[in-house]
Amino acid sequence: MAQEVNKPAFRSSASTTVAKRKSSWPSLLRWIPTSTHHIIAAEKRLLSLVKTPYVQEKVNIGSGSPGSKVRWFRSSSNEPRFINTVTFDSKEGSPTLVMIHGYAASQGFFFKNFDYLANHFQVIAIDMLGWGGSSRPDFKCKSTEETEAWFVDSLEEWRKAKNISKFILLGHSLGGYIASKYALKHPEHVQHLILVGPAGFSSESDNRFKWFARFRETWKGSIMYHLWESNFTPQKLVRGLGPWGPNLVRKYTTGRFKPVYSAEIVLTEEQNRLLTDYAYHTTVAKASGELCLKYIFSFGAMTRKLLLNSASEWKVPTTFIYGTDDWMNYEGAQEARKRMVIPCEIIRVPKAGHFVFLENPDGFHSAMWYACRRFLSPHIDSQPLPEGLELA
């Protein structure tokens, strides 16, 4: 099923009022006022800020990975699963860019980047299985290996369904971890790997390891560790607040994306309102992909399996992009580069933290252009690093 979206159709104020009344009453009667319909509707409202026309579709990836013995699709039923996908209009012949979001996010978090990127790429952004508007099967994984397969194998089934043979793959945070695992397993399909503040490249010498080890010895740390190992996710907290949940998410987005790294506004009032609405509905929907938390990350949000240890197996040219104030340490990427036998660059973007693409979109766009210059320019050797960026 595909639906092309341009500008929202005009609707009179009277019909809008009726529509709101019809849709809001059932929500008010629920402890958690959301539904799949709410997620897609919130996505459309957020993406109305994007000028480039796009197609939204739910790509059928079947009910399981053929021949797979892991439980990545095991659920209470065998109904087909779907990956929520948005594809933006682009110039003919543009390289394909597939974008994967991070933990507790969805593809709509890239809303400030789609217009720029669509001028250079065939942009396709997805919600990972169990996130956003994608299917949310019961999460039955019981190990790190099964959890990785949940995401990597579902991404491969999506690629097959879309019939895409070669693409540039971008992943942010947890999405960077999944993109890396996919590129390790299916390097023949990935032309270039772009990892934005990726999880998995911190080394055990990172000060955060030491801090959390000390913190775990305290009574507060002991409680937090127990909650972590019981897979208590942030989403469970928001769900537990019921109708007070939207206000908590609003406080989070307002506080998280306030001007910190520069005097420039990160989100306008309208952008914050629409992103908050979108984030709320994607957060409190059925728990599924979020339950990967304890299997991929150890206490303190450090990955249980360090990608640093797989660096020597890398077969895909890679670019790391970090905000200069990202809490993810770029020094781990430097250590990985020493072990890689393929081209690897590390770009640092000023005035930005972990959400570099939201906090400094212009800098992020410059980094993207430079990272993909061999696909975008016939004179790659003469392309200087854009002003303001740093190569680490």
Side-chain angles (χ1 to χ4, degrees):
M1 177 182 70
Q3 181 177 7
E4 186 167 353
V5 181
N6 290 295
K7 295 295 183 182
F10 175 79
R11 178 183 289 173
S12 69
S13 58
S15 61
T16 302
T17 302
V18 172
K20 286 183 178 179
R21 188 180 300 128
K22 288 182 178 178
S23 61
S24 62
W25 271 111
S27 296
L28 292 174
L29 297 177
R30 291 194 294 266
W31 177 251
I32 302 176
T34 193
S35 66
T36 302
H37 168 75
H38 282 80
I39 293 174
I40 299 303
E43 174 187 289
K44 290 180 179 179
R45 288 191 293 271
L46 180 62
L47 295 188
S48 70
L49 300 174
V50 180
K51 297 178 181 178
T52 307
Y54 67 92
V55 171
Q56 180 266 337
E57 59 183 328
K58 292 191 176 297
V59 178
N60 189 333
I61 58 173
S63 59
S65 180
S68 175
K69 295 181 180 180
V70 297
R71 294 178 286 187
W72 68 283
F73 261 27
R74 195 169 298 173
S75 187
S76 57
S77 67
N78 291 318
E79 75 261 13
R81 315 300 180 193
F82 299 88
I83 297 292
N84 186 41
T85 304
V86 290
T87 303
F88 292 85
D89 282 3
S90 64
K91 298 176 184 177
E92 186 176 353
S94 298
T96 300
L97 172 66
V98 175
M99 306 179 71
I100 305 177
H101 59 85
Y103 188 89
S106 302
Q107 52 82 9
F109 274 67
F110 295 112
F111 75 95
K112 293 178 75 171
N113 316 115
F114 289 140
D115 281 329
Y116 174 87
L117 295 176
N119 283 326
H120 302 281
F121 305 92
Q122 171 68 75
V123 177
I124 307 175
I126 67 169
D127 290 333
M128 289 190 287
L129 183 67
W131 294 96
S134 291
S135 294
R136 294 179 177 241
D138 298 336
F139 190 86
K140 297 294 184 179
C141 300
K142 298 299 180 183
S143 69
T144 300
E145 292 76 14
E146 286 189 346
T147 303
E148 290 174 353
W150 162 283
F151 295 112
V152 172
D153 289 357
S154 60
L155 179 58
E156 173 61 2
E157 293 306 305
W158 173 86
R159 182 202 65 79
K160 292 176 183 177
K162 290 288 289 181
N163 193 28
I164 304 173
S165 59
K166 297 280 187 180
F167 55 95
I168 300 166
L169 181 59
L170 177 150
H172 171 242
S173 197
L174 170 64
Y177 181 89
I178 300 304
S180 298
K181 288 291 183 176
Y182 180 89
L184 282 166
K185 188 172 183 179
H186 302 285
E188 69 277 10
H189 299 302
V190 183
Q191 295 171 295
H192 195 89
L193 184 62
I194 301 177
L195 304 177
V196 184
F201 287 92
S202 297
S203 67
E204 293 183 356
S205 62
D206 192 302
N207 288 331
R208 283 184 298 148
F209 272 108
K210 300 173 183 178
W211 188 90
F212 274 103
R214 294 193 299 269
F215 178 64
R216 183 178 165 183
E217 299 300 319
T218 67
W219 68 269
K220 290 182 180 179
S222 178
I223 293 174
M224 293 293 291
Y225 175 77
H226 175 74
L227 289 173
W228 188 280
E229 290 301 314
S230 66
N231 219 3
F232 184 86
T233 66
Q235 292 88 339
K236 290 181 180 179
L237 173 62
V238 181
R239 290 189 193 99
L241 290 174
W244 293 276
N247 189 49
L248 178 63
V249 175
R250 186 179 305 108
K251 288 182 178 179
Y252 167 77
T253 55
T254 301
R256 178 62 184 80
F257 298 114
K258 65 182 180 181
V260 174
Y261 311 109
S262 71
E264 298 179 9
I265 296 175
V266 178
L267 297 176
T268 66
E269 184 176 342
E270 181 185 21
Q271 289 172 342
N272 184 70
R273 176 176 58 82
L274 294 175
L275 182 61
T276 295
D277 180 53
Y278 174 72
Y280 171 74
H281 290 297
T282 57
T283 294
V284 298
K286 175 188 173 183
S288 181
E290 74 189 64
L291 298 174
C292 73
L293 188 64
K294 67 170 284 188
Y295 297 107
I296 289 184
F297 298 101
S298 60
F299 181 58
M302 311 295 265
T303 50
R304 295 186 182 276
K305 290 194 172 184
L306 295 176
L307 287 169
L308 185 62
N309 298 333
S310 302
S312 61
E313 305 170 26
W314 236 250
K315 297 180 181 179
V316 177
T318 301
T319 299
F320 293 86
I321 298 177
Y322 291 89
T324 52
D325 294 289
D326 195 334
W327 62 273
M328 290 290 189
N329 194 340
Y330 73 95
E331 293 177 353
Q334 289 179 313
E335 182 61 33
R337 182 173 57 189
K338 295 176 183 178
R339 308 181 192 184
M340 293 179 180
V341 295
I342 46 84
C344 176
E345 292 178 326
I346 303 170
I347 303 175
R348 301 185 73 206
V349 179
K351 300 178 182 178
H354 192 52
F355 284 88
V356 54
F357 48 88
L358 280 175
E359 294 158 339
N360 186 352
D362 290 340
F364 173 72
H365 298 156
S366 295
M368 283 293 296
W369 194 95
Y370 188 77
C372 299
R373 61 195 182 279
R374 69 187 179 99
F375 302 99
L376 302 175
S377 172
H379 309 292
I380 61 172
D381 295 332
S382 62
Q383 299 300 325
L385 181 71
E387 185 177 356
L389 303 183
E390 302 175 13
L391 285 177

